[in-house]
Amino acid sequence: MHYLSAIIPLFSSILFLCLGITVYFLSKGKLRAVFLRFCYITFHWQFSWVILFSLNNSDYSDLICKIGYSGIIFLPVTFYESVIHYLNHSKKYLAWFYYLCFIFLISLWTSDFFIKGAYHQSFGYYPEAGILHIAYIMMVCILMILIFFILYQKLKEEKDSIKKTQMKFFFVSTIFFCFSAIDYFLNYPVLTEKLNIQLYPFGAFFICFSSLIFILSHFITLNLTLENRVTLKTAQLKNSVDALEEAARIKKDFIANVTHELRTPLTLIRGWTDFMIEGESGKIPAKLLEIINKIALQTLNLTEKINELLKLSKFDAGMERLVLTKTDIDSTIFQIVSSFKGLTDQSQIDLKYACESKISNVFIDKEKLKDILNNLIRNAYKFTENGDITITLKKMNDWMVIKVKDTGIGMSQKVVKNIFQRFQQGDSSRTRKYEGTGLGLAIVKDSVEIMHGSIFVESVENKGTIFTIKLPMDLETREAGSVMENRAKERRTLHIKYESKNRRKKDRRVTDLAKINNEDIIRISASDKTLSSQKTIKKIIPKNSLGVILIAEDNNGIQDFLSTALKEYTLFIASNGQAAWEVIQEGTLPDLVISDIMMPIMDGYTLLENIRANKKTTTLPVIIITSLTEQDDRIRSLQLGADDYLTKPFHHLELQARVKNVLSLHKLEREKTRSEQLEVFLMVLASVIESKDQYTGGHVERVAGYARDLARKANLPETMVNDIFMGTIVHDVGKIGIKDEVLNKTGKLTIEEFDHIKTHPVIGKNLLSKLKIAPIAVNIAYYHQEKWNGEGYPCGISKKDIPIEARISTIADFWDAITSERPYRNAMPLKKAIQIMHEERGKSFDPELFDLFMDKNDKLYLKHLSKDKIKELA
């Protein structure tokens, strides 16, 4: 019988152990550790009783009872801890309860005040309570009251219906768990005898039942949560569907409006240009007619691109519909292919068409078929430099198969994989050789699929590409609502001119000027055929060139526009960055480079890097023009050293202004550089003079300072003041040609020696005249010995015939000469020097300049004298 008594606690222990481990690994946060502790304590209690009831031995019953109660003591506290963690309640009293439990634990193992020992019951041995056990029961009651109070408070505050339901189940589970405390009555033998009721195994049953309710509550809560989420998501999905339907409606309306708003101005632009080209507005000058033709071509190009975008938008919005007419498919394909014959013949490409099977008339959307073949043939033409393009038609069961094969550059498998995606191109890099929007093949795929067909592509790099289209021959069955009755004549014709007098009587609706027909496509394809791989350089030389500009641009239309806008400059026009760089390397150094960014072979960034890396071209100004509008492209261009950045489209006047500004700024920088180089050269030259004549070396620095101060006081331009300063430094440069023994002679010069000295102005002029950038320095060196009264040398000119820079230098030179030490005499006292200067006013010196120099208020004449020298005037 005692073995049967162990079954219920065994079941309970296994249940709580599994529950604790499961919750620990499935949940997150601190609660899982707390709940695992509670489950372990319950397991410890129940499994101890399994051993106690199974052995049913008095020798071990006391020990097992103590081991079991070591867990039971902590059971109410761990349950309380689990509840307050689960409900995020305050843990204010938790530590005190744990301290009390540890006191009970110590009492359990050190005395019999808590448990006296084991006594025998009908189901086996069970621990008998001591006097301290009553205090433990009181603690349990307090904890139960706290738990119920907390649960009731939280249940009352909870607003969420699902959480409230969960709280109710948790409340019931707690009640049943509390009922398990009935086992405590078994610790009191006297009480059980008086009650005469078999209480075992109600406690174990209640604790198992509480755990099952707890598990059930979680499943019910989970189910309610999922139902609530499904309801919420269903409502959100319904709102999303409604929003998408509304967005689709708005998109359809938008496309309809955009189609009207874009095609209307394009119709007017094209209509008026055709009006002028066809002579309706009178005779137009040839040059203007050429420009109008270019506008017309670019209008076609823009119209085609807008039509492509609108077609794709209609496909995406589900607005595109089939219009099926009974068609001679062989004849229709032949006409489409034949329209490209003239274009391919010009490029020496063999265009062939063959119908390999007899196919009767079929229902098909002719416009969609034209879109498919036009795009595929244009692609084949664009990517085939030489060779052939072959279009074939054959019947295969109930399908017609159209193949477009070329011997062009082919594609890699990586490119083939994405070739039908929107805006996808084989080469999307900045150096791509072939232009395009990447929409043509996307339109082809959508057009094929809307006609219940399929398209495949096979390609080998450098060998060619084959596009295979399969279209059903029973479209009238699949799309019965799209069939149109045959008409004797189509409403629209390919081309009608309005040149006759009765043109107003014709129905203009027969021609849609915003529609691109095959003639237009041929014109666009011919203009798109890139010549950017060629190395031919266009050279345009005007009569009176303002400078040399090198243009790197791969678009022929932009080349024409730039050459017209910059017609006053000599232009070298290259179709890619590599060709432009070769022009520079071959020796043509332009005043300015204008470059696009996206070009074949070498892009604008690489060209700019090459220019800045080369010593000869590092300062060459560069303007970047591009249709790239991202700020990163602008920043990168400027970081690489571009002088300016212009985004397409731009006004020709803006281009001209920016070119002029960049050239002017570069010219100023060159002049500044030359000025700096001149300054360095003159300083070196002055040091050479100083090494030859020590007197001259100190003399020139002081004279240059006096001359600069006097020129500035005379209100001369600052640039001229600087030139006078630099020129005065080398005013005695001619002394390089004077013999050393004459220059450094201590005694009085002979007449011959003085005549030899008088040659130094001519020598100086001859030396400095070779510097074309220093005319003022030449004048100073040549005329600084001339006198106001005409008695000077070498020319004997007088008054204002002497350049003002020389007159200034003469005053500065004379003053420093008489106040400085000479090899043949000492410096004059200042008072005497001032007296001599006044005596020479109107003789050697310009009176006006002299008065400025000797002004007693400013005293320029004392500025470069030593302090000891100035003391002579005290």
Side-chain angles (χ1 to χ4, degrees), residues 58-77:
S58 60
D59 296 335
Y60 300 104
S61 59
D62 287 350
L63 177 62
I64 296 171
C65 284
K66 287 185 177 182
I67 293 172
Y69 243 99
S70 296
I72 293 172
I73 288 172
F74 291 96
L75 182 63
V77 181

Side-chain angles (χ1 to χ4, degrees), residues 175-187:
I175 291 172
F176 276 100
F177 184 81
C178 291
F179 283 164
S180 66
I182 197 172
D183 276 0
Y184 288 129
F185 288 106
L186 296 172
N187 296 124

Side-chain angles (χ1 to χ4, degrees), residues 110-140:
T110 57
S111 68
D112 58 359
F113 291 127
F114 194 80
I115 295 295
K116 294 179 181 180
Y119 76 97
H120 195 269
Q121 288 266 21
S122 60
F123 52 84
Y125 285 94
Y126 207 80
E128 182 180 355
I131 191 170
L132 196 59
H133 193 272
I134 298 171
Y136 171 73
I137 294 296
M138 291 175 65
M139 183 194 75
V140 170

Side-chain angles (χ1 to χ4, degrees), residues 13 22 49 281 284 413 416 453 536 660 835 865:
S13 62
T22 303
W49 278 192
S281 61
I284 298 175
Q413 291 307 306
V416 169
T536 305
K660 185 178 179 181
Q835 182 184 347
L865 293 176

Side-chain angles (χ1 to χ4, degrees), residues 558 561-562 565 625-626 646-655:
I558 299 294
F561 177 73
L562 292 176
I625 57 169
T626 180
L646 203 55
T647 304
K648 302 173 187 174
F650 49 81
H651 197 283
H652 71 282
L653 292 178
E654 182 184 6
L655 172 67

Side-chain angles (χ1 to χ4, degrees), residues 454-506:
S454 57
I455 182 168
F456 310 95
V457 59
E458 304 169 70
S459 188
V460 179
E461 287 188 271
N462 302 317
K463 289 189 177 181
T465 303
I466 302 174
F467 284 93
T468 303
I469 301 109
K470 289 180 67 177
L471 295 173
M473 299 178 66
D474 59 346
L475 273 175
E476 70 277 12
T477 303
R478 299 183 186 218
E479 295 282 348
S482 301
V483 176
M484 300 287 288
E485 293 182 359
N486 287 330
R487 298 179 182 181
K489 294 182 179 180
E490 294 188 16
R491 290 180 59 195
R492 300 181 183 273
T493 58
L494 291 177
H495 186 69
I496 292 182
K497 294 184 178 180
Y498 301 112
E499 294 181 355
S500 65
K501 294 180 179 178
N502 296 322
R503 62 186 180 83
R504 295 293 181 190
K505 296 179 181 179
K506 295 184 179 180

